Amino acid sequence: MARTREFDLDAAVDAAMDVFRRKGYEGTSMRDLSEATGLGSGSIYAAFGSKDGLYLAVLDLYRQRYATPMVDLLRSGNDPRAVIREVFIGAVDDITGDGRHLSCLIVGASMERAHQDVRVAERLRSTTQSLELALYDLLAEAQLRGQITTDRSATDLAGFLVTSLQGLRVMGAINPDRAALTRYAEVALTCLN
């Protein structure tokens, strides 16, 4: 008779996310994951198949928790400049807000895992494309209404803004200076003028 799981998968993934954000994939051991989740390695393997399986679940949760709300905000239909600024300042808040300075999983996974794991690369591509598409839709509509510059295509602006947003996260990992990151965000937003 098979045993039933007596733990909360979502809580385990959430706890593992924190570890992966602090230590990266390679720096995280099964012992680290067991300590963080309160699960034995056997339970982790039974639930996720492997450390890789847990990491993929963490990437999915990260998208749901951080990228999806940004996409929803961009699709809210509010003033395009204000909404895009809110996304950037929200990223600065995330980088500097809690004092823990956890790294962005998208940036970390891009540097550490995307070149060797197709499943990771696919998840990262999907996440960044959803953000870029939401930005494109917002920017294309704003250009049609004459609210932002038409000097550059909405495609190029959206790509540049996603790149700038990820760049803020990289710089925030190096130096989480809120004032400086806010200034850099404001410079990026000048592309809309």
Side-chain angles (χ1 to χ4, degrees), residues 33-56:
L33 293 170
S34 290
E35 288 175 4
T37 63
L39 304 175
S41 58
S43 294
I44 292 172
Y45 283 115
F48 302 101
S50 64
K51 177 181 167 182
D52 288 344
L54 178 54
Y55 190 67
L56 294 173

Side-chain angles (χ1 to χ4, degrees), residues 91-102 168-182 184:
V92 171
D93 289 344
D94 184 48
I95 294 164
T96 63
D98 64 6
R100 296 184 327 155
H101 309 301
L102 296 174
L168 274 179
R169 293 188 180 283
V170 170
M171 295 310 294
I174 297 166
N175 181 18
D177 179 333
R178 181 177 178 67
L181 294 172
T182 301
Y184 305 154

Side-chain angles (χ1 to χ4, degrees), residues 5 7-14 39 47-48:
R5 286 195 190 120
F7 57 87
D8 182 345
L9 281 178
D10 293 335
V13 174
D14 189 45
L39 304 175
F48 302 101

Side-chain angles (χ1 to χ4, degrees), residues 3 45 71 112 125 185:
R3 282 184 54 186
Y45 283 115
V71 168
E112 191 176 19
R125 199 170 17 260

Side-chain angles (χ1 to χ4, degrees), residues 34-192:
S34 290
E35 288 175 4
T37 63
L39 304 175
S41 58
S43 294
I44 292 172
Y45 283 115
F48 302 101
S50 64
K51 177 181 167 182
D52 288 344
L54 178 54
Y55 190 67
L56 294 173
V58 163
L59 289 174
D60 292 341
L61 178 61
Y62 190 82
R63 176 184 178 148
Q64 178 186 352
R65 185 170 291 163
Y66 295 100
T68 300
M70 277 191 235
V71 168
D72 292 344
L73 179 61
L74 291 167
R75 296 197 183 282
S76 68
N78 294 329
D79 173 58
R81 287 177 195 275
V83 168
I84 294 169
R85 184 176 191 286
E86 188 174 342
V87 165
F88 271 75
I89 298 306
V92 171
D93 289 344
D94 184 48
I95 294 164
T96 63
D98 64 6
R100 296 184 327 155
H101 309 301
L102 296 174
S103 69
C104 171
L105 265 179
I106 293 172
V107 172
S110 296
M111 302 310 296
E112 191 176 19
R113 301 289 304 155
H115 62 284
Q116 58 186 300
D117 189 327
V118 165
R119 298 165 304 166
V120 170
E122 181 181 296
R123 278 174 169 77
L124 299 177
R125 199 170 17 260
S126 174
T127 298
T128 56
Q129 284 174 346
S130 68
L131 184 56
E132 197 167 331
L133 180 59
L135 275 163
Y136 168 82
D137 290 343
L138 181 66
L139 293 166
E141 181 67 28
Q143 284 180 328
L144 286 174
R145 292 182 179 176
Q147 295 172 304
I148 64 166
T149 184
T150 56
D151 293 348
R152 293 169 209 89
S153 71
T155 300
D156 290 345
L157 287 171
F160 172 74
L161 289 170
V162 169
T163 301
S164 298
L165 191 60
Q166 293 307 96
L168 274 179
R169 293 188 180 283
V170 170
M171 295 310 294
I174 297 166
N175 181 18
D177 179 333
R178 181 177 178 67
L181 294 172
T182 301
R183 288 193 311 272
Y184 305 154
E186 296 294 349
V187 171
L189 296 175
T190 63
C191 75
L192 303 176

